[in-house]
Amino acid sequence: TGAISSLQRQIEIQESKLRRIRSEKEMLQKHLREQEVQLQAMSDQFFSLTEEQKQEEMMVMMEQENHNLQQVVMEQESQLAEQNKLISELQETISQLRAEVVTARLNLLEQKQAQKEIQSQAEALQHKELQTRVALERISTKFERYRNKIIQATFSVEGIQGPRGELTDEQVLEAMQKIFNERTEFQKMLKNKASR
């Protein structure tokens, strides 16, 4: 956005220069026309004289004035040529700046679109995270109930001391393994007695 504003300010500056140069060009053209009118008037005045001396004096004056006017005309034509060249350069610069503004706006639009997509993805991830947390809490609750049932079943067996304080998973497994081993030994003893 800052780049677009900067480019637009540059365009305004260049267009202001262009207007000023065009105004100067119009003034030069007007001055040139006035000089041409003056030259034509002098020429008309020269041809209207009837006396030979006045004609000679006027001829000298006209030649001098004509020379001066030609110098002025050449200078003004040179200035006009330079200003035309400068106008072309300014118009080209303005066109480039406008193209840069369009490009910058397109880039900004693409960035906004990308930002929207990222925002949408972030919202989707947050929703998925929430669902995952809910599922994890549900599983944790089920696991805790299942663990409590195992502890109750394990320590309700005759001959197994009840737990003192909170049990670790390793302690529960050890107690279950002990019950399993004792039952296995008991079954072996029964089989031995039966075979005898």
Side-chain angles (χ1 to χ4, degrees):
T1 305
I4 290 171
S5 299
S6 176
L7 288 170
Q8 286 176 334
R9 282 196 297 274
Q10 290 182 41
I11 288 172
E12 288 171 4
I13 291 166
Q14 297 295 340
E15 285 178 339
S16 176
K17 284 182 182 178
L18 187 57
R19 286 193 296 272
R20 191 183 71 248
I21 289 168
R22 282 179 173 160
S23 176
E24 290 174 1
K25 177 184 171 182
E26 288 173 4
M27 290 291 293
L28 282 169
Q29 286 174 333
K30 183 180 177 183
H31 188 56
L32 187 58
R33 286 193 296 272
E34 288 173 356
Q35 297 288 348
E36 288 173 351
V37 169
Q38 187 180 353
L39 183 60
Q40 185 63 42
M42 289 183 70
S43 179
D44 294 341
Q45 187 179 0
F46 171 74
F47 287 113
S48 66
L49 293 174
T50 55
E51 296 177 9
E52 187 176 344
Q53 186 180 2
K54 286 183 179 179
Q55 286 181 357
E56 287 177 3
E57 289 176 2
M58 189 60 71
M59 188 68 166
V60 171
M61 286 176 61
M62 282 202 54
E63 284 178 358
Q64 184 63 38
E65 188 65 27
N66 188 35
H67 177 72
N68 292 339
L69 286 172
Q70 283 177 347
Q71 287 293 112
V72 171
V73 168
M74 286 174 66
E75 288 174 5
Q76 289 181 348
E77 284 178 345
S78 175
Q79 287 181 9
L80 281 174
E82 287 179 5
Q83 288 183 348
N84 283 333
K85 182 182 176 184
L86 185 57
I87 285 169
S88 297
E89 290 173 355
L90 286 171
Q91 284 175 333
E92 185 178 348
T93 303
I94 287 169
S95 296
Q96 288 176 352
L97 288 171
R98 282 179 175 158
E100 287 178 20
V101 167
V102 170
T103 304
R105 282 178 175 163
L106 285 173
N107 288 338
L108 185 62
L109 193 63
E110 288 174 0
Q111 287 174 359
K112 284 182 178 177
Q113 187 64 32
Q115 190 176 3
K116 281 183 182 177
E117 290 177 4
I118 290 168
Q119 183 68 27
S120 176
Q121 290 174 3
E123 288 172 0
L125 285 171
Q126 285 175 345
H127 182 65
K128 194 169 184 180
E129 182 190 5
L130 183 62
Q131 288 180 328
T132 305
R133 282 183 181 177
V134 170
L136 182 62
E137 285 176 9
R138 194 181 299 124
I139 291 167
S140 297
T141 304
K142 283 183 178 179
F143 174 76
E144 194 60 34
R145 284 202 301 267
Y146 180 66
R147 185 176 182 273
N148 289 335
K149 285 180 180 178
I150 290 172
I151 290 170
Q152 286 174 3
T154 301
F155 290 94
S156 64
V157 175
E158 190 177 342
I160 300 293
Q161 287 185 348
R164 294 177 182 176
E166 194 156 338
L167 292 170
T168 63
D169 292 341
E170 286 78 12
Q171 288 172 328
V172 174
L173 286 171
E174 283 176 7
M176 288 178 69
Q177 189 66 45
K178 184 178 179 183
I179 292 169
F180 178 75
N181 291 338
E182 286 176 355
R183 287 191 177 183
T184 305
E185 287 294 323
F186 183 68
Q187 285 176 350
K188 283 181 182 178
M189 285 174 61
L190 287 175
K191 282 182 182 178
N192 288 335
K193 283 184 179 181
S195 62
R196 285 176 188 169

